[in-house]
Amino acid sequence: MVVQDVCKRCRQGQVSVLSRKEPFCNDCFSKFVSAKQRKQMMCEPYCQDVFKVLYQDKVRSEAESVEQNAHSKVLVPLSFGSSSVVLLDILNDTLTEQKETQRGKTGFHIDVLVCGRDQDDIVRYREMADRLLSERYASNREKIKFHFLSVESFYKDCGGELDTILVDSADFSSRSIVENGELNREFGVEDLLKQCPDRSSRQDLLTILSSRLIKKFAYQNKHKIILWGHSMTKLADETISLVVKGRGSQIASMLSIDECDPLFDNSFKNLYPLQDVLLSEIDAYCYIKHLDPFMIDYIPQDTLLVEKQRNPELVSAPRSVKNLTLNEIARKYFDDVEADYSNVISTVVRTALKLGEPETPKPERCSICRANVHMDPSEYLQTITVSENHPIETTEESALYDKWNESQFSNQKIENTTLRDSIPQKAVSTSLCYGCLINVNRMKGRKLTWPQHSKSELETILDAFEL
Amino acid sequence: MGQISKRRSSVSFDYSAMSFTPPSDPVNRKSEIKVSQLCELCHCRKALLRRPKNLQKVCKLCFFHVFETEIHNTIVSNKLFHRGEKVAVGASGGKDSTVLAYILKLLNERHDYGIEIILLSIDEGIIGYRDDSLATVKRNQVQYNLPLEIVSYRDLYNWTMDEIVACAGVRNSCTYCGVFRRQALDRGAAKLGIAHVVTGHNADDMAETVLMNIFRGDVARLEKSTAIITQSTGSPIKRSKPFKYSYQKEIVLYAHYKKLDYFSTECSYAPEAFRGTARELMKNLEMQRPSCILDIIHSGENLVLKPKRQKKISPSEVMEVRSDGAVSLGRPSKFVDGNTCERCGYLSSNKICKACILLEGLERNRAKMTLDTDTSTGGAARLTRELERLTF
């Protein structure tokens, strides 16, 4: 392909980015990306009411419009990767533009939530947030507020007791035991991660955990919308890895924009404003807008830039497939096929958006990820994975069996079964979704410690009285 | 020798004082089996393999037991068969269908399903590939004592795959072959008066299809792709996949340890390129987490589409005339189950089935003249075989 010198859109600017087979200049490309985000922000009436500067009209009085503008709070979870930083930057531009065109008024406020694994993380994040505020968001300081949260608060501030959830190795049934006081006080996220067999399940649990923290924050602080930074690429690999983890039925609820989040009293919507923008485009945007110094643990790719960055860190050593997480394998797949089948990513996202949730009359909720459980996973697994043995046939075999029976190996097994059998009065059967059951089944000791779900007053009454 | 026996007879010896110890045998030494080496299921035999499905260490007998029982469970819980049913096994001579024929016969005898099993093979006409694999099926017929019926593309369509490839090129070979084989299996079954065809599609195939449908955005197939039984009101023949939950690797191991006779060459025509990428992805995923094949199938079973938003459509009788004079033609509103092809009467979602459309295209391009000694339609496979036979 011959690289044109002049941008195809404005016919003036010098070409700096090649995206979707089109040459762009800096200005046109920024417009292209931010228009895609703004289109999603205006995709339906609920979002329009949140983002627009409202005035008195047929449906609302002057006072109401002022109040609505003041209460339009949105939450942006920030990881300091390219997507969330770009998302925030475009939101900041939107605020600036609103101030200019609407005589100083804006339609919404932004709360930024940063989750860190430990105190060191949070210190680094705080510094970067201060830099962002002073260097880029100075004119909108009163509209953008940063909040910091440690993932440890997932256990520390769960407000209830902890459950240990066990999966039976024979019939895949799941039960939970209420933990005693000591573990309640000491158990933390690091302990949880230590029980995980590999990076994949660690990442899976961390995703569930941090998304719960973010949503809880939005619920408690009465945000109207959570703006997730996911790029189209990220949504595609998230979709595929949900399928791969046996969580196919959860894709619809993750992406649903038609309704508010049912897990949090329908108090907010989840929006993915960058769902039409590829990660490579977001990364190119970072360089054009000079956002790359504001990233933490992330280096934007320069694949679409005409002039490469010559950053030696960009060429990272290829990792062996064995060490990749399922998400990373899916991402690698999209990277590999992008050259030959360029539209796979957008096809996957479009397909995912067409999915709905299976209809089950009154589905139970998974005690770990809170997703709807549409069919009993233990029953499903039992019929397709048999763990019965072929009978003992010869005397030699029975001698070996006796030998095994006396050995420490059988003790291990018996220990597991007695652990199960000794607590029947305390252990109650609990429902898990297929994906979480597979996860717990792979954990050390086939168990996992998780906060109990504390039901709201309304939920308790509904459970008891609703027919 | 004679001397020794002589001496023995003359000298009295107290045998009871000496106990017999056999000489040590350095070759057939019986090794002590450690407890840690025992099968994780029966704990009484030495483990021989790791199950690809869950990496459990098991002995051969337990492996056979769980593998067979899982298939039996699948058959029973999905009510695949009924007593007195005639069932055709789509037999290609490959590992899947060979194991399927073997196992169905075994389970039918063990659990008394009361079904009658017939082998049904399709001869696509790929010289150097299908003729060899059909020879395997013919051996299986004798080994398992099952009746065999062979239906050929030549008889049904008057084309062989080799001719089709010569005419339409190698890149589309899978499209033609797939469409024609589907029909051929049904027609073969109908000819035998059988209403049920079982195929050897395994869990890996199912999972791959789920991923492929998402990658391609094939919304029409998304919901039904994992169905274990497919049937339609338009056709008397149903199909089922008893290996839906069986790992390909376990099928291979089963065939290996049971010493089954199967044909293991890949088709000589190029496989579909995009499917190859999905296969590679599956391989990487399985390496990371063996359960993922079942996990993907589980996801596939739970994929449903959102109810379509009702668009405001003018009633079909009213034809809208647009400002430029164009009119919109009424599109067939919905997929109708049981629709049949106007030409051949085979099941089709359109007016004319895909096979008839493909055939029409082929006929149009068929060479008007042929050479007497032409070997170009002999196919790539034959050429390969001939090259293999060459010696210096």
Side-chain angles (χ1 to χ4, degrees):
Chain A
M1 194 164 113
V2 183
V3 179
Q4 281 177 304
D5 292 342
V6 185
C7 167
K8 218 175 157 189
R9 298 214 165 176
C10 63
R11 295 179 196 285
Q12 286 172 356
Q14 205 195 338
V15 172
S16 56
V17 182
L18 280 173
S19 176
R20 307 188 194 194
K21 295 180 182 151
E22 199 182 324
F24 287 94
C25 66
N26 278 354
D27 286 350
C28 289
F29 187 71
S30 321
K31 256 184 231 161
F32 170 75
V33 173
S34 74
K36 293 229 175 259
Q37 167 164 333
R38 290 181 191 202
K39 186 184 150 210
Q40 281 305 321
M41 281 158 52
M42 292 293 156
C43 68
E44 45 116 51
Y46 179 91
C47 300
Q48 288 171 9
D49 280 358
V50 172
F51 291 111
K52 274 188 183 166
V53 183
L54 297 174
Y55 291 100
Q56 178 182 6
D57 59 9
K58 275 182 234 160
V59 278
R60 53 184 79 83
S61 67
E62 171 76 39
E64 277 169 344
S65 69
V66 170
E67 195 183 312
Q68 254 181 305
N69 284 338
H71 283 102
S72 289
K73 283 202 300 180
V74 298
L75 185 66
V76 177
L78 191 73
S79 65
F80 291 101
S82 60
S83 308
S84 51
V85 171
V86 166
L87 173 85
L88 192 58
D89 203 66
I90 295 174
L91 282 174
N92 178 53
D93 291 348
T94 314
L95 283 176
T96 313
E97 199 184 285
Q98 282 187 347
K99 276 186 179 173
E100 279 167 15
T101 54
Q102 315 282 333
R103 280 174 280 162
K105 285 190 180 176
T106 63
F108 61 102
H109 302 254
I110 306 169
D111 278 314
V112 182
L113 183 62
V114 186
C115 281
R117 284 275 287 279
D118 50 40
Q119 276 312 311
D120 295 352
D121 272 357
I122 293 192
V123 170
R124 284 198 301 156
Y125 292 156
R126 244 181 229 287
E127 273 172 29
M128 194 58 98
D130 288 341
R131 269 185 65 192
L132 268 174
L133 271 176
S134 58
E135 290 174 32
R136 297 197 70 105
Y137 309 146
S139 59
N140 294 318
R141 254 203 144 120
E142 77 291 357
K143 302 282 177 195
I144 303 176
K145 229 186 248 166
F146 278 82
H147 305 267
F148 299 87
L149 202 60
S150 158
V151 287
E152 284 301 336
S153 65
F154 181 71
Y155 283 105
K156 298 283 172 283
D157 308 329
C158 63
E161 283 175 315
L162 300 186
D163 268 345
T164 289
I165 296 165
L166 292 159
V167 166
D168 190 313
S169 60
D171 64 4
F172 303 102
S173 63
S174 47
R175 289 182 234 184
S176 67
I177 321 163
V178 182
E179 275 308 330
N180 57 19
E182 198 176 315
L183 196 73
N184 266 341
R185 260 175 277 123
E186 283 170 9
F187 197 84
V189 175
E190 292 306 318
D191 298 304
L192 175 79
L193 298 182
K194 261 183 228 152
Q195 292 176 340
C196 292
D198 54 28
R199 287 182 63 229
S200 259
S201 44
R202 239 170 277 160
Q203 196 198 32
D204 195 38
L205 287 173
L206 268 179
T207 313
I208 295 174
L209 194 145
S210 43
S211 105
R212 180 83 62 79
L213 276 176
I214 293 164
K215 288 182 177 183
K216 200 171 143 192
F217 187 88
Y219 174 65
Q220 287 168 342
N221 293 286
K222 302 202 166 54
H223 289 103
K224 296 268 171 67
I225 299 179
I226 302 183
L227 296 160
W228 300 91
H230 299 46
S231 61
M232 196 201 297
T233 316
K234 166 83 185 169
L235 284 175
D237 68 49
E238 190 62 31
T239 302
I240 293 302
S241 51
L242 281 175
V243 169
V244 171
K245 288 172 198 160
R247 298 181 184 276
S249 58
Q250 296 165 23
I251 297 172
S253 56
M254 176 184 89
L255 293 173
S256 171
I257 181 63
D258 300 330
E259 42 199 64
C260 294
D261 204 311
L263 282 178
F264 292 86
D265 260 357
N266 302 315
S267 70
F268 56 82
K269 282 198 177 194
N270 294 297
L271 190 65
Y272 301 89
L274 289 170
Q275 70 178 39
D276 295 328
V277 189
L278 292 164
L279 182 64
S280 51
E281 293 169 335
I282 290 174
D283 285 3
Y285 185 92
C286 281
Y287 284 116
I288 288 176
K289 288 284 197 167
H290 308 293
L291 286 166
D292 49 307
F294 301 100
M295 315 266 126
I296 294 179
D297 301 330
Y298 184 85
I299 303 157
Q301 296 292 311
D302 57 2
T303 38
L304 301 183
L305 296 185
V306 173
E307 218 163 284
K308 303 292 177 211
Q309 292 296 307
R310 298 219 183 87
N311 186 342
E313 283 177 79
L314 267 178
V315 198
S316 56
R319 260 197 162 137
S320 113
V321 177
K322 271 221 135 161
N323 290 329
L324 297 179
T325 66
L326 297 175
N327 278 71
E328 287 163 347
I329 292 177
R331 173 70 60 87
K332 186 177 170 298
Y333 172 79
F334 289 122
D335 287 346
D336 292 349
V337 296
E338 209 180 343
D340 293 330
Y341 308 93
S342 56
N343 47 9
V344 176
I345 294 177
S346 63
T347 310
V348 169
V349 176
R350 258 186 294 127
T351 313
L353 287 167
K354 285 181 194 155
L355 293 175
E357 236 193 287
E359 277 178 30
T360 315
K362 234 190 159 184
E364 298 214 27
R365 287 209 178 269
C366 170
S367 24
I368 296 175
C369 69
R370 309 289 306 148
N372 284 330
V373 181
H374 295 286
M375 57 159 124
D376 182 6
S378 58
E379 211 180 284
Y380 177 86
L381 282 171
Q382 245 183 89
T383 45
I384 59 177
T385 314
V386 170
S387 47
E388 267 171 11
N389 61 301
H390 186 91
I392 300 173
E393 281 175 343
T394 62
T395 47
E396 197 184 343
E397 286 173 4
S398 92
L400 276 169
Y401 182 77
D402 291 341
K403 198 170 143 194
W404 173 81
N405 223 350
E406 288 154 18
S407 72
Q408 43 144 343
F409 289 95
S410 76
N411 288 340
Q412 267 175 23
K413 190 169 178 176
I414 289 165
E415 217 171 273
N416 281 345
T417 32
T418 42
L419 176 74
R420 226 173 54 215
D421 296 339
S422 67
I423 33 129
Q425 65 274 42
K426 278 198 289 171
V428 284
S429 119
T430 186
S431 57
L432 289 183
C433 72
Y434 182 88
C436 286
L437 179 66
I438 292 291
N439 242 350
V440 180
N441 194 40
R442 300 172 73 249
M443 303 285 276
K444 273 177 205 143
R446 290 199 165 84
K447 61 179 179 182
L448 182 148
T449 309
W450 202 253
Q452 256 175 27
H453 174 65
S454 45
K455 283 183 181 170
S456 69
E457 189 191 357
L458 175 70
E459 259 182 294
T460 329
I461 297 173
L462 279 180
D463 276 358
F465 294 99
E466 199 184 40
L467 296 176
Chain B
M1 219 33 191
Q3 270 185 340
I4 297 170
S5 56
K6 212 182 202 173
R7 199 186 298 162
R8 271 194 188 161
S9 60
S10 60
V11 179
S12 73
F13 194 82
D14 184 12
Y15 286 99
S16 59
M18 201 175 92
S19 65
F20 172 75
T21 43
S24 65
D25 181 346
V27 182
N28 293 316
R29 190 166 39 188
K30 203 151 192 203
S31 63
E32 186 80 357
I33 299 172
K34 283 185 203 144
V35 179
S36 58
Q37 292 175 318
L38 289 173
C39 165
E40 287 177 21
L41 289 175
C42 66
H43 311 293
C44 70
R45 284 173 288 259
K46 191 177 171 185
L48 185 75
L49 65 141
R50 259 185 194 284
R51 270 199 87 176
K53 199 170 183 173
N54 52 13
L55 305 184
Q56 222 167 21
K57 281 188 270 179
V58 290
C59 66
K60 202 159 52 169
L61 287 176
C62 284
F63 173 65
F64 291 156
H65 179 78
V66 291
F67 184 79
E68 289 158 7
T69 313
E70 280 166 14
I71 292 160
H72 172 63
N73 286 351
T74 309
I75 291 172
V76 173
S77 62
N78 292 289
K79 300 192 184 73
L80 293 192
F81 306 130
H82 59 81
R83 188 164 287 282
E85 194 174 18
K86 274 170 105 182
V87 178
V89 177
S92 66
K95 55 186 185 318
D96 297 315
S97 56
T98 304
V99 174
L100 182 63
Y102 174 85
I103 266 206
L104 277 189
K105 187 177 155 71
L106 180 93
L107 292 177
N108 189 28
E109 284 161 11
R110 185 184 292 166
H111 299 285
D112 190 25
Y113 297 152
I115 54 168
E116 194 183 320
I117 304 164
I118 294 119
L119 299 175
L120 175 60
S121 289
I122 308 297
D123 183 1
E124 296 95 343
I126 304 175
I127 297 171
Y129 165 67
R130 188 49 92 206
D131 43 356
D132 289 358
S133 65
L134 281 177
T136 319
V137 180
K138 283 174 191 155
R139 285 200 301 279
N140 289 339
Q141 177 197 3
V142 180
Q143 288 154 359
Y144 308 149
N145 190 23
L146 294 170
L148 166 70
E149 174 77 21
I150 301 176
V151 183
S152 73
Y153 280 11
R154 162 69 74 211
D155 294 344
L156 282 179
Y157 310 109
N158 197 24
W159 283 90
T160 66
M161 265 319 282
D162 287 336
E163 286 166 359
I164 292 172
V165 170
C167 182
V170 75
R171 290 195 68 186
N172 303 320
S173 55
C174 287
T175 314
Y176 286 96
C177 198
V179 171
F180 289 153
R181 185 169 35 240
R182 239 193 114 72
Q183 263 202 25
L185 270 177
D186 276 16
R187 289 184 193 277
K191 193 168 140 197
L192 296 167
I194 298 174
H196 190 168
V197 178
V198 293
T199 51
H201 289 97
N202 57 40
D204 300 45
D205 298 331
M206 300 290 271
E208 194 181 288
T209 308
V210 172
L211 290 182
M212 286 288 288
N213 285 337
I214 300 175
F215 289 149
R216 282 206 275 230
D218 196 337
V219 186
R221 292 208 177 85
L222 206 59
E223 286 180 317
K224 288 181 282 182
S225 63
T226 49
I228 186 159
I229 304 176
T230 41
Q231 57 188 341
S232 157
T233 49
S235 163
I237 293 152
K238 69 171 178 180
R239 289 149 173 278
S240 65
K241 309 179 181 90
F243 281 171
K244 182 182 170 185
Y245 299 113
S246 305
Y247 274 45
Q248 180 167 313
K249 290 194 175 109
E250 298 200 352
I251 294 171
V252 175
L253 284 171
Y254 189 85
H256 172 74
Y257 288 119
K258 284 275 182 182
K259 300 195 172 60
L260 300 184
D261 178 7
Y262 68 90
F263 181 75
S264 60
T265 309
E266 291 276 317
C267 175
S268 40
Y269 292 124
E272 207 187 339
F274 187 56
R275 190 172 275 275
T277 65
R279 203 161 280 181
E280 181 69 23
L281 171 69
M282 287 280 305
K283 219 175 82 191
N284 290 341
L285 291 170
E286 199 190 345
M287 204 189 324
Q288 174 60 237
R289 185 182 285 199
S291 77
C292 81
I293 292 177
L294 291 179
D295 302 347
I296 294 172
I297 296 177
H298 184 272
S299 286
E301 288 172 359
N302 284 292
L303 290 181
V304 289
L305 295 172
K306 252 186 233 173
K308 269 196 182 155
R309 284 216 188 108
Q310 286 293 319
K311 277 186 203 157
K312 275 188 196 161
I313 329 164
S314 52
S316 55
E317 305 91 64
V318 185
M319 194 177 273
E320 185 199 353
V321 181
R322 283 190 281 266
S323 55
D324 59 351
V327 287
S328 57
L329 292 173
R331 299 183 96 239
S333 54
K334 244 177 94 185
F335 169 77
V336 187
D337 184 44
N339 199 14
T340 50
C341 170
E342 280 179 355
R343 281 191 206 163
C344 65
Y346 182 73
L347 205 61
S348 165
S349 46
N350 297 312
K351 271 192 173 171
I352 293 166
C353 74
K354 187 80 182 158
C356 285
I357 292 171
L358 291 178
L359 276 174
E360 198 182 82
L362 283 171
E363 289 299 342
R364 221 180 294 131
N365 295 321
R366 197 199 277 272
K368 300 286 183 296
M369 273 186 282
T370 49
L371 297 173
D372 275 352
T373 52
D374 182 25
T375 52
S376 63
T377 54
R382 182 152 77 183
L383 186 67
T384 322
R385 284 300 136 88
E386 275 168 11
L387 286 172
E388 276 169 6
R389 265 184 240 120
L390 287 180
T391 48
F392 290 102

